[in-house]
Amino acid sequence: MNNIDVSIIMGSDSDLSIMNECAIFLDQMNISYEMKILSVHRTPERAMEYAKELNERNVKVIIAGAGGAAHLPGVFAAMVPTVPVIGVPIYTKTLSGIDSLYSIVQMPSGIPVATVAINGAKNAAILATSILAIGNEELTKKLADFKKSMQDAVIAKDENLQELGAITYLNNIK
Ligand code: RP5
């Protein structure tokens, strides 16, 4: 079994396009991960096996995305009790992802899932990076550089707005 820092799990391949945003960010940060489709409803035994496996590996963060009756993050928080779990509520057509959000965020006391916004997969990866950066100077620097580049982008936009005015600015970004 290979060592990885982050396990990215999701309930269905219909979650993959969103959850892949985690992979893109972790790649940018050079953080090792693996991705798996696992359902605590449709493949309960397989999910339990993988949870057991994670307990034996040195995985540092689990990111779990699920939609609807989204039990995957909570069950993994219960089954892998010493590893932080970040839950990503996936948007649903029926209830706009509110179902996923409430299912993931309302964990009982003692079994937390750090829940990001609906479809907030990139933020889940950023939060995972912050956790992994504790005591890791190189990763802290990479994360700080990323935050700085975000700041610079906002400042550049404001400078553009001041220079062009709102109408020209909006015409330019159409
Ligand atoms: C959940 O059910 C999955 O996480 C997914 O978001 C949702 C719908 O799954 P599919 O019917 O698209 O496979 O378990």
Side-chain angles (χ1 to χ4, degrees):
M1 268 179 281
N2 56 330
N3 271 344
I4 44 147
D5 285 327
V6 182
S7 166
I8 304 169
I9 55 178
M10 65 207 85
S12 169
D13 63 346
S14 60
D15 305 327
L16 184 58
S17 61
I18 294 298
M19 294 307 289
N20 194 43
E21 292 172 25
C22 295
I24 292 169
F25 187 80
L26 295 178
D27 276 338
Q28 243 176 280
M29 294 288 126
N30 235 343
I31 291 171
S32 60
Y33 62 86
E34 68 188 14
M35 289 178 108
K36 288 186 91 63
I37 298 167
L38 290 163
S39 167
V40 288
H41 301 129
R42 292 169 175 156
T43 60
E45 279 162 21
R46 205 174 153 83
M48 294 308 143
E49 275 310 306
Y50 184 61
K52 275 188 210 150
E53 190 187 307
L54 287 183
N55 278 306
E56 285 153 24
R57 293 165 75 188
N58 198 19
V59 172
K60 299 192 180 74
V61 185
I62 296 168
I63 302 176
H71 297 135
L72 187 72
V75 170
F76 268 74
M79 294 290 293
V80 193
T82 58
V83 175
V85 175
I86 304 171
V88 183
I90 301 293
Y91 178 86
T92 58
K93 284 190 189 130
T94 39
L95 295 171
S96 306
I98 295 292
D99 42 354
S100 324
L101 174 64
Y102 287 176
S103 301
I104 294 176
V105 80
Q106 289 294 350
M107 287 297 291
S109 175
I111 317 288
V113 170
T115 308
V116 295
I118 296 167
N119 282 356
K122 185 173 179 182
N123 263 1
I126 295 170
L127 182 56
T129 304
S130 306
I131 294 168
L132 293 165
I134 297 167
N136 179 332
E137 254 179 59
E138 195 188 329
L139 195 51
T140 299
K141 163 98 177 53
K142 270 191 203 159
L143 191 55
D145 288 348
F146 164 73
K147 297 277 172 125
K148 172 80 171 54
S149 71
M150 262 188 345
Q151 273 180 28
D152 291 347
V154 174
I155 292 165
K157 284 176 185 176
D158 181 55
E159 283 171 357
N160 251 345
L161 175 64
Q162 304 315 315
E163 192 186 319
L164 303 172
I167 305 289
T168 313
Y169 185 102
L170 287 170
N171 282 333
N172 281 0
I173 58 172
K174 262 185 201 160

